[in-house]
């Protein structure tokens, strides 16, 4: 069962907490004195009379900004500086010129009130200049021949496009890359310059790209030498060194091959740094390439203590991991992880033992390349994939039952930095869940009592075999982030059930080794979009949708594959696993974590983020969502997904958060209040936003990392 960290406060404690936050967010200012001719800078703005000029891109040119942080106890006050305003106007004018607005003007419009001033920068870009004739004057015949083979549609300068300095620089960099990838080891973009002619009274610029006629040498790689480290040792096999180097003997020098070689060695866990040097042979156009690899220590031991809190039950856990980063001298990473956990369970009557214990061992072997049959050497060399084999065994002893989980998996991971994507392929992932013991009290109360909700419970406390395959994709660049995951289980086993004459159990399920296997399909889509409001504040929009369907050999999803709602990364007015499905309202807290799960999940979140002081940041958020079941289960009344009920059963919450950013990780405290509760008996319960009650509607969440 998953661990969630939950803290509960008394009504008085909650009031004091919100009072303290109110003081922090009140934005008190320090009292300072200003001279008779001075004014506090209370605000800075920018507008443009041309819509296509995006003022948000020009804000960095403003030299003096008012403090826009709203949640500080003491704000930093600025005395308005007219010199800085004049320099800002000049910088903005120059930036507009570089964008092609040669006749641009900028007005500084201060608005004074009492001892404060708001400054507005008004941009008058005018009409942009466009490119007329574009000519290339290449005075080196060999270079001219190379560039003639370049397709015209690849050029960044075309007649009719808006003139801009950025476009000129892009073309210089493009040509430089072509030449440095074709042997021109010493070529630099400064060898390329431009001349421009403008027609009097017009807005056309005739442009000539000039590449001077100096004797540019074209270099070939004579030899590639792998040098030992400072201790005179080669820690990687020769084959691994050659496979990761894209610099080849007998071929022209290539800047892209150099960068790719750095990238390849940089992704090997054993490599600390890579030093690549080219040596010119006197009176020739030949280069010798010397590659020196410095490695990390192969072995390490990591100890990680943990604190746990599951619905108020305190506990502790610790893990010990031994890792070898160079098992076969090919930067293969092999690790063994031992973990133990203990939790004191309170308020559990009728059971002999009131504690929870867990012990697990996991072994993992990761190869920094794709390991698969029938793959060509060239494909392996071009692939950036890693291959991973893992085996794990987990023992869980609770007062109600004992649970054993054996798992094994073979997975691939790869990424494409150029397109900001990551991929995952789980070829096979096996999980065998064994229940060696269930207490008589638990069995009597929940599994054998015909009056209790037991269909889902029984399924989740039986031995189970899961054989799944999965695929994952993620994209993250600038303001947008996508994650897509798909997995299926049991299809191969189901196809082989009849040919292999597998037996069926009393529930008409096919079994393998007398254990029913799970069959289902599951898909998740997660999207995040960031809207910058100004240079400091941003609005983050997030949506998460998931659906899983049991079929064939299963009528209920395995517990680990079912969705839950509430908690630090979902609808934050509810504790984890405290919401849904649909309008279902739990009645037995000991076992409702099983019933408050579903087959469909929808989360919608909106969060305003702003810096506070030092490493602290604040957030205001609104969350909505719920989970549902696809089938109607007797033990989850009101939980089935129906289109007509989706709006009525959407839960909503609001709240605020404090984040402490340590660069490597973020510690997060979120305080949520229920706004609309789909599981209700009275109107006050249905609309807590109108009838708030802290003891009923408040949830506090502690987490590491951002929610999305």
């Amino acid at each position: 069962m998953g661990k969630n960290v939950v803290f509960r406060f008394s009504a008085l404690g909650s009031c004091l907490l919100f009072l303290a936050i109110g003081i922090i967010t009140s934005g008190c200012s320090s009292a300072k004195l200003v001279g008779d001719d001075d004014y506090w800078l209370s605000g800075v703005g920018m507008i443009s009379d041309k819509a296509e000029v995006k003022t948000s891109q020009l804000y960095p040119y403003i030299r003096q900004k008012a403090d826009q942080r709203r949640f500080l106890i003491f704000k930093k006050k600025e005395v308005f500086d007219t010199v800085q305003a004049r320099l800002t106007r000049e910088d903005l004018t120059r930036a507009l010129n570089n964008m092609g607005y040669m006749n641009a003007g900028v007005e500084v419009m201060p608005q004074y009130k009492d001892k404060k001033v708001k400054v507005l920068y008004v941009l008058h870009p005018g009409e942009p200049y466009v490119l007329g004739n574009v000519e290339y004057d290449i005075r080196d015949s060999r270079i001219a021949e190379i560039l003639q083979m370049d397709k015209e549609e690849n050029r960044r300068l075309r007649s009719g496009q808006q003139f801009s300095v950025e476009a000129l620089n892009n073309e210089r960099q493009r040509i430089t890359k072509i030449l440095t990838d074709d042997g021109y080891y010493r070529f630099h973009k400064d060898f390329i310059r431009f001349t421009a002619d403008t027609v009097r009274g017009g807005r056309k610029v005739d442009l000539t790209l000039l590449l001077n006629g100096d004797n540019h040498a074209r270099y070939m790689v004579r030899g590639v030498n792998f040098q030992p480290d400072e201790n005179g040792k080669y820690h990687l096999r020769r084959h691994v060194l050659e496979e990761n180097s894209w610099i080849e003997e007998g071929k022209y020098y290539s800047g892209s091959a150099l960068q790719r070689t750095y990238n390849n060695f940089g992704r090997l866990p054993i490599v600390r740094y890579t030093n690549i040097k080219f040596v010119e042979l006197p009176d020739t156009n030949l280069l010798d390439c010397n590659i020196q690899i410095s490695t990390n220590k192969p072995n390490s031991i990591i100890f990680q203590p943990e604190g746990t809190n599951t619905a108020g039950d305190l506990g502790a856990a610790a893990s010990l991991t031994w890792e070898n980063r160079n098992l076969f001298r090919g930067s293969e990473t092999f690790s063994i992880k031992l973990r133990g956990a203990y939790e004191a369970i309170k308020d559990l009557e009728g059971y002999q033992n009131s504690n929870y214990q867990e012990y697990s061992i996991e072994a993992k072997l990761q190869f920094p390349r794709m390991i698969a049959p029938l793959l060509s050497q060239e494909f392996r060399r071009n692939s950036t994939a890693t291959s991973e084999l893992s085996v794990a065994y987990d023992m869980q002893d609770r007062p109600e039952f004992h649970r054993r989980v054996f798992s094994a998996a073979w997975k691939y991971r790869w990424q494409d930095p150029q397109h900001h994507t990551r991929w995952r392929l789980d070829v096979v992932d096996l999980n065998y869940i064994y229940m060696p013991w269930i207490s008589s009290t638990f069995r009597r109360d929940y599994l054998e009592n015909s009056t209790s909700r037991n269909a889902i419970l029984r399924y989740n406390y039986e031995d189970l075999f899961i054989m799944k395959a999965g695929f994952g994709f993620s994209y993250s660049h600038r303001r947008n982030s996508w994650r897509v995951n798909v997995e299926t289980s049991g299809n191969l086993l189901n196809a082989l059930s009849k040919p292999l004459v597998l037996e069926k159990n009393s529930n008409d399920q096919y079994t393998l080794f007398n254990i029913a296997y799970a069959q289902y399909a599951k898909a998740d889509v997660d999207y995040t979009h960031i809207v910058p409001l100004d240079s400091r504040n941003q609005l983050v929009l997030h949506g998460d949708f998931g659906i899983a369907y049991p079929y064939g050999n299963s009528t209920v999803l395995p517990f680990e594959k079912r969705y839950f709602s509430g908690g630090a990364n979902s609808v934050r007015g509810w504790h984890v696993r405290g919401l849904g499905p649909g309008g279902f309202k739990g009645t037995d807290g000991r076992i409702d974590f099983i019933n408050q799960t579903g087959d469909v999940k929808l989360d919608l979140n909106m969060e305003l983020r702003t810096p506070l002081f030092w490493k602290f940041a604040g957030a205001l958020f609104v969350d909505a969502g719920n989970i549902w079941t696809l089938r109607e289960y007797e033990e989850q009344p009101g939980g089935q997904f129906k289109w007509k009920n989706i709006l009525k059963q959407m839960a909503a919450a609001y709240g605020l958060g404090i984040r402490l950013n340590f660069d490597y990780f973020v510690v997060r405290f979120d305080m949520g209040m229920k706004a609309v509760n789909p599981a209700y008996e009275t109107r006050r319960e249905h609309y807590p936003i109108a009838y708030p009650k802290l003891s009923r509607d408040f949830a506090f969440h502690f987490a590491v990392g951002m929610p999305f």
Side-chain angles (χ1 to χ4, degrees):
M1 287 175 289
K3 299 282 189 296
N4 58 289
V5 180
V6 178
F7 294 90
R8 290 188 171 89
F9 292 91
S10 65
L12 176 60
S14 300
C15 290
L16 292 175
L17 177 64
F18 276 105
L19 179 61
I21 293 169
I23 293 173
I24 293 175
T25 58
S26 62
C28 301
S29 303
S30 60
K32 294 184 179 179
L33 299 177
V34 294
D36 293 339
D37 298 326
D38 293 330
Y39 294 86
W40 293 126
L41 182 62
S42 61
V44 176
M46 186 191 306
I47 59 173
S48 171
D49 55 21
K50 207 166 187 61
E52 56 263 35
V53 175
K54 304 300 182 184
T55 56
S56 59
Q57 299 176 0
L58 295 172
Y59 265 102
Y61 291 97
I62 297 178
R63 292 173 175 251
Q64 189 181 27
K65 299 179 177 70
D67 199 317
Q68 298 171 340
R69 294 173 288 184
R70 303 300 180 196
F71 300 131
L72 289 180
I73 299 176
F74 298 106
K75 291 184 181 179
K76 178 185 175 184
K77 284 193 164 187
E78 293 279 353
V79 176
F80 176 50
D81 189 336
T82 56
V83 174
Q84 294 296 316
R86 176 177 58 79
L87 293 174
T88 295
R89 182 186 63 195
E90 294 173 1
D91 290 345
L92 288 171
T93 303
R94 192 176 301 109
L96 291 170
N97 293 159
N98 290 341
M99 294 166 62
Y101 298 97
M102 300 301 187
N103 300 319
V106 178
E107 284 186 88
V108 183
M109 300 180 64
Q111 301 169 358
Y112 297 97
K113 184 177 181 181
D114 298 328
K115 294 297 293 180
K116 297 179 181 179
V117 58
K118 291 183 179 180
V119 178
L120 181 66
Y121 293 94
V122 183
L123 311 182
H124 304 292
E127 294 301 318
Y129 278 59
V130 297
L131 294 180
N133 295 324
V134 180
E135 296 182 357
Y136 287 72
D137 185 2
I138 311 298
R139 299 180 182 179
D140 184 303
S141 57
R142 283 191 304 177
I143 290 179
E145 187 178 340
I146 293 171
L147 295 181
Q148 281 175 359
M149 293 187 292
D150 182 40
K151 294 180 180 179
E152 189 170 341
E153 57 263 29
N154 292 335
R155 295 182 176 182
R156 306 293 173 88
L157 302 175
R158 296 186 182 89
S159 179
Q161 80 179 57
Q162 183 171 326
F163 172 86
S164 73
V165 171
E166 182 182 8
L168 304 187
N169 287 331
N170 288 342
E171 183 67 354
R172 293 172 76 199
Q173 291 172 359
R174 189 185 71 86
I175 291 175
T176 300
K177 184 179 185 302
I178 291 173
L179 297 178
T180 55
D181 283 350
D182 207 353
Y184 289 90
Y185 169 63
R186 289 192 166 278
F187 193 86
H188 192 272
K189 67 179 182 178
D190 289 343
F191 292 137
I192 301 172
R193 56 190 179 90
F194 294 93
T195 61
D197 254 343
T198 57
V199 180
R200 186 182 296 274
R203 293 185 294 103
K204 279 193 174 181
V205 179
D206 292 334
L207 196 68
T208 300
L209 182 149
L210 177 63
L211 196 157
N212 65 36
D214 295 342
N215 192 15
H216 299 288
R218 194 180 187 195
Y219 288 83
M220 181 176 286
V221 178
R222 186 186 72 165
V224 178
N225 308 306
F226 294 100
Q227 299 179 333
D229 65 10
E230 54 272 13
N231 298 317
K233 294 182 179 180
Y234 295 94
H235 294 280
L236 294 168
R237 301 193 307 272
R238 177 79 185 190
H239 172 71
V240 175
L241 295 171
E242 292 174 347
E243 190 177 66
N244 284 281
S245 173
W246 282 80
I247 303 167
E248 300 182 59
E249 297 179 359
K251 291 192 176 182
Y252 285 111
Y253 166 85
S254 168
S256 293
L258 172 63
Q259 186 57 54
R260 189 164 186 177
T261 301
Y262 271 116
N263 293 343
N264 281 1
F265 283 112
R267 61 187 285 268
L268 299 181
I270 190 62
V271 174
R272 187 170 68 216
Y273 67 83
T274 307
N275 185 18
I276 303 177
K277 290 184 179 180
F278 288 91
V279 179
E280 297 180 48
L281 275 69
D283 303 322
T284 71
N285 289 347
L286 297 177
L287 298 171
D288 276 344
C289 177
N290 298 323
I291 302 177
Q292 185 180 45
I293 306 297
S294 179
T295 57
N296 295 303
K297 291 182 179 179
N299 296 299
S300 63
I301 296 178
I302 304 168
F303 175 74
Q304 290 181 307
E306 305 171 34
T308 63
N309 187 334
T310 305
D313 296 332
L314 299 177
S319 64
L320 185 67
T321 305
W322 170 78
E323 185 176 81
N324 184 300
R325 301 187 187 92
N326 200 26
L327 186 65
F328 305 122
R329 294 184 61 234
S331 198
E332 301 87 358
T333 301
F334 177 67
S335 64
I336 297 178
K337 180 179 180 180
L338 303 174
R339 184 179 183 274
Y342 175 87
E343 196 168 271
I345 300 177
K346 59 185 180 181
D347 301 327
L348 194 61
E349 299 177 359
Y351 295 90
Q352 294 179 353
N353 189 353
S354 60
N355 299 321
Y356 167 76
Q357 299 178 54
E358 180 179 2
Y359 305 96
S360 66
I361 180 171
E362 180 185 34
K364 188 182 295 184
L365 177 60
Q366 187 178 79
F367 299 88
R369 52 194 171 275
M370 182 167 279
I371 305 294
L374 306 178
L375 294 180
S376 68
Q377 182 67 19
E378 190 64 20
F379 180 85
R380 293 174 192 267
R381 194 163 182 260
N382 280 280
S383 170
T384 59
T386 60
S387 309
E388 181 184 294
L389 173 66
S390 62
V391 180
Y393 182 68
D394 185 51
M395 301 172 53
Q396 303 170 9
D397 289 354
R398 288 188 59 87
E400 308 97 324
F401 54 82
H402 291 174
R403 196 165 182 258
R404 307 290 183 258
V405 181
F406 173 80
S407 58
W410 180 255
K411 304 175 181 180
Y412 295 113
R413 304 283 188 273
W414 68 96
Q415 57 185 335
D416 182 357
Q418 184 177 355
H419 297 96
H420 316 286
T421 56
R422 293 177 179 268
W423 306 79
R424 187 197 81 250
L425 176 62
D426 299 340
V427 179
V428 61
D429 192 340
L430 305 176
N431 289 269
Y432 168 49
I433 302 167
Y434 172 55
M435 305 291 295
W437 176 81
I438 298 176
S439 76
S440 57
T441 303
F442 186 85
R443 189 183 297 277
R444 181 186 65 248
D445 290 350
Y446 296 105
L447 303 183
E448 296 176 351
N449 187 345
S450 60
T451 62
S452 67
R453 323 186 281 279
N454 55 35
I456 296 176
L457 288 173
R458 283 179 177 173
Y459 182 73
N460 285 285
Y461 291 97
E462 295 174 351
D463 297 344
L464 185 64
F465 184 72
I466 302 173
M467 179 179 176
K468 76 177 183 72
F471 173 79
F473 162 81
S474 66
Y475 167 87
S476 182
H477 183 53
R478 294 181 180 174
R479 301 175 186 173
N480 296 290
S481 177
W482 284 93
R483 285 200 306 270
V484 178
N485 291 287
V486 178
E487 68 178 67
T488 63
S489 175
N491 293 331
L492 178 61
L493 292 174
N494 191 257
L496 297 174
S497 293
K498 289 184 178 179
L500 296 179
V501 196
L502 296 182
E503 295 183 357
K504 287 189 174 183
N505 61 17
S506 58
N507 296 323
D508 200 35
Q509 295 173 298
Y510 284 109
T511 62
L512 182 67
F513 308 121
N514 295 321
I515 302 169
Y517 60 83
Q519 190 172 7
Y520 63 87
K522 184 177 182 180
D524 298 273
V525 179
D526 186 289
Y527 174 65
T528 301
H529 178 65
I530 298 174
V531 182
L533 302 179
D534 51 42
S535 60
R536 291 181 176 273
N537 303 300
Q538 56 182 215
L539 182 67
V540 183
L541 307 176
H542 172 257
D544 180 9
F545 175 75
I547 183 169
Y549 183 68
Y551 58 92
N553 214 47
S554 298
T555 56
V556 179
L557 281 172
F559 177 71
E560 289 81 359
K561 302 301 176 182
R562 292 173 70 84
Y563 296 105
F564 61 87
S565 193
N569 302 317
S570 183
V571 187
R572 284 166 280 186
W574 279 259
H575 299 300
V576 67
R577 303 184 195 275
L579 173 60
F584 171 75
K585 184 176 183 179
T587 56
D588 188 339
R590 289 181 296 172
I591 207 66
D592 277 334
F593 69 89
I594 290 286
N595 286 310
Q596 295 202 264
T597 56
D599 310 318
V600 179
K601 178 181 180 179
L602 177 62
D603 274 341
L604 300 172
N605 312 89
M606 182 169 63
E607 187 168 283
L608 175 64
R609 297 174 181 172
T610 185
L612 298 178
F613 60 93
W614 190 50
K615 295 182 179 293
F616 285 91
L620 300 173
F621 59 81
V622 177
D623 302 327
N626 206 335
I627 54 172
W628 294 267
T629 61
L630 291 176
R631 290 188 172 96
E632 186 171 359
Y633 297 108
E634 213 177 300
E635 54 276 4
Q636 294 173 308
Q640 187 181 22
F641 180 85
K642 295 180 180 179
W643 285 107
K644 64 179 182 179
N645 293 335
I646 187 170
L647 291 179
K648 291 191 298 184
Q649 293 182 345
M650 284 287 284
Y654 61 95
L656 56 86
I658 302 294
R659 286 82 196 272
L660 186 55
N661 189 341
F662 290 106
D663 297 331
Y664 295 103
F665 65 95
V666 175
V667 176
R668 174 164 55 97
F669 306 92
D670 283 342
M671 292 149 281
M673 287 286 291
K674 295 181 178 67
V676 180
N677 186 355
Y680 62 92
E681 294 179 357
T682 66
R683 180 175 176 82
R684 287 180 174 270
E685 280 187 311
H686 191 193
Y687 297 106
I689 191 170
Y691 309 98
K693 184 179 179 182
L694 287 176
S695 61
R696 178 194 64 194
D697 304 323
F698 175 73
F700 178 81
H701 306 283
F702 166 74
V704 176
M706 299 298 281
F708 39 80

